[in-house]
Amino acid sequence: MSVPSSAFSFLFTSFCVFFTLSGTSSCLAIHANTTRPHRQLSVNYYAKSCPQLEQLVGSVTSQQFKVSPVSGPATIRLLFHDCFVGGCDASILIASKPGSKQLVEKDAEDNRELKVEGFETVRKAKELVERKCPGVVSCADILVIAARDYVHLAGGPYYQVKKGRWDGKISTASRVASNIPRANSTVDQLIKLFNSKGLTTQDLVALSGAHTIGFAHCKHFVARLYSYRGKAQPDPNMDPKLLHALRMYCPNFGGNSDIVAPFDATTPFIFDHAYYANLQKKMGLLASDQALALDPRTRPIAQDLAKDKQKFFQAFVAAMDKMSLVKVVRGKRHGEKRRDCSMHT
């Protein structure tokens, strides 16, 4: 089934809404190198040098959200993938040079499903900002602002973001695999990875709540439907009705590789706390999602956030702030201010 990038094909089941997106799905795994206080970063960093910055970026994100709602989860996921690999330095946006054998982060296997809408959001915002404030604002800051905008546009909290990042000078595909969570990651693996970024178990569970919007291709959860952990049985920790619905669109072999399912089967377009309530009902899509409701270290946190949307919003904002400060680049020695986010200066 062929669908324009800005459109969705809706297929309703008792629990799920499935979507075929042109290109690949936004399997929004939560991805956030150690966070430290950054005196140079501030909410008002561009108050004098580019006072209209947030309005400029906001004009792009609001339009993109109307035209192509998938831009939201795509951009949030893009930020996670950027921050978790070498820090929040926009290295994920660098494109390979023609003819070069050096693969950049964007080319890594784990990043090939990153939706073009996320990259397009930053590109369009950067072009607009450059016309008003040339050579001033980093791509890294624009990505952080855009992700915040989409959280709010989808019904989530609006929060102030610290600015003053520079763009990184290094982008290599080889750094990606060991720093990105997997759809079947265990809680042990997730906690270890998040801790390596200076993020706590609380942050892990809160940031996982970004799966309240976004979608995943069948290949990321098909094993749960037919042969979980190598056994010829589905995952016992999946709701039977959800299992039946997913099997309708995700056969064990073959099938349409463009079919995706929402992480949150109940309110897939709304940034709310339903994701956590779904986990209590065994309705998590990925094994790494459902694991949060099973492990004694994460279960109480997930249960707590399922009960109170405002508590989730507060935890999410705090965790996003910490994640956005992971290994921030500062100054010309280690950083750059790109005019084109896909090219080093």
Side-chain angles (χ1 to χ4, degrees):
M1 179 160 50
S2 178
V3 182
S5 62
S6 61
F8 300 98
S9 174
F10 294 83
L11 293 165
F12 290 92
T13 71
S14 58
F15 276 89
C16 294
V17 188
F18 286 79
F19 306 86
T20 301
L21 309 178
S22 71
T24 53
S25 79
S26 58
C27 176
L28 187 73
I30 295 306
H31 324 306
N33 312 30
T34 301
T35 62
R36 297 186 184 91
H38 292 273
R39 292 180 183 175
Q40 305 97 327
L41 267 65
S42 72
V43 170
N44 299 314
Y45 186 83
Y46 297 108
K48 293 183 179 179
S49 58
C50 192
Q52 314 127 295
L53 172 60
E54 304 233 1
Q55 289 79 11
L56 293 170
V57 176
S59 67
V60 172
T61 51
S62 60
Q63 178 64 20
Q64 287 292 107
F65 192 70
K66 292 176 185 175
V67 174
S68 182
V70 75
S71 299
T75 305
I76 297 167
R77 186 185 182 207
L78 192 61
L79 176 62
F80 290 149
H81 279 240
D82 184 41
C83 292
F84 263 63
V85 181
C88 307
D89 62 354
S91 51
I92 187 66
L93 303 176
I94 292 293
S96 296
K97 294 180 181 178
S100 173
K101 294 182 179 180
Q102 178 71 44
L103 296 179
V104 295
E105 286 178 30
K106 187 179 178 181
D107 300 322
E109 181 67 33
D110 294 285
N111 285 333
R112 288 180 183 173
E113 287 187 1
L114 292 173
K115 294 287 295 175
V116 67
E117 287 85 353
F119 294 95
E120 278 296 287
T121 289
V122 179
R123 183 187 66 78
K124 290 179 179 180
K126 178 63 171 175
E127 285 183 355
L128 183 58
V129 170
E130 281 297 307
R131 289 201 291 269
K132 300 289 186 179
C133 316
V136 173
V137 182
S138 67
C139 300
D141 278 343
I142 289 175
L143 177 54
V144 173
I145 295 168
R148 183 277 314 279
D149 285 356
Y150 283 128
V151 168
H152 184 58
L153 286 165
Y158 183 89
Y159 52 95
Q160 298 290 341
V161 297
K162 297 182 181 72
K163 296 171 281 288
R165 298 165 190 79
W166 286 51
D167 299 323
K169 294 181 177 181
I170 300 170
S171 181
T172 57
S174 60
R175 298 196 301 175
V176 174
S178 62
N179 285 294
I180 296 296
R182 299 284 184 273
N184 62 349
S185 290
T186 64
V187 172
D188 272 341
Q189 291 168 332
L190 291 171
I191 289 175
K192 183 177 180 181
L193 178 59
F194 276 64
N195 284 350
S196 75
K197 316 300 177 189
L199 299 166
T200 66
T201 302
Q202 167 87 16
D203 298 327
L204 159 63
V205 179
L207 289 170
S208 295
H211 280 187
T212 183
I213 55 175
F215 315 87
H217 278 118
C218 293
K219 70 177 184 180
H220 295 293
F221 55 85
V222 69
R224 296 188 70 203
L225 311 182
Y226 301 97
S227 56
Y228 186 59
R229 292 184 176 174
K231 299 177 182 178
Q233 296 289 332
D235 185 348
N237 290 301
M238 179 178 281
D239 176 86
K241 291 181 180 179
L242 177 61
L243 173 65
H244 176 73
L246 292 171
R247 279 181 163 183
M248 288 176 63
Y249 296 97
C250 300
N252 199 8
F253 302 103
N256 185 343
S257 62
D258 285 338
I259 293 290
V260 296
F263 289 112
D264 175 354
T266 54
T267 57
F269 296 110
I270 302 173
F271 197 100
D272 58 19
H273 63 319
Y275 165 82
Y276 299 103
N278 292 341
L279 297 185
Q280 314 308 313
K281 302 171 187 174
K282 297 185 177 182
M283 291 177 61
L285 184 65
L286 305 182
S288 56
D289 288 323
Q290 194 58 52
L292 299 178
L294 302 173
D295 190 282
R297 292 165 293 181
T298 53
R299 183 173 60 239
I301 305 171
Q303 290 173 336
D304 206 28
L305 300 183
K307 298 172 186 175
D308 189 332
K309 183 169 73 171
Q310 291 307 315
K311 185 171 285 188
F312 162 51
F313 283 179
Q314 291 169 5
F316 182 79
V317 168
M320 283 289 278
D321 181 62
K322 287 175 67 175
M323 189 190 75
S324 74
L325 300 178
V326 170
K327 279 195 173 179
V328 166
V329 174
R330 291 285 304 159
K332 292 182 179 180
R333 182 178 179 183
H334 301 290
E336 60 187 9
K337 293 283 183 77
R338 301 181 210 140
R339 298 293 183 107
D340 178 339
C341 292
S342 68
M343 298 172 59
H344 290 299
T345 55

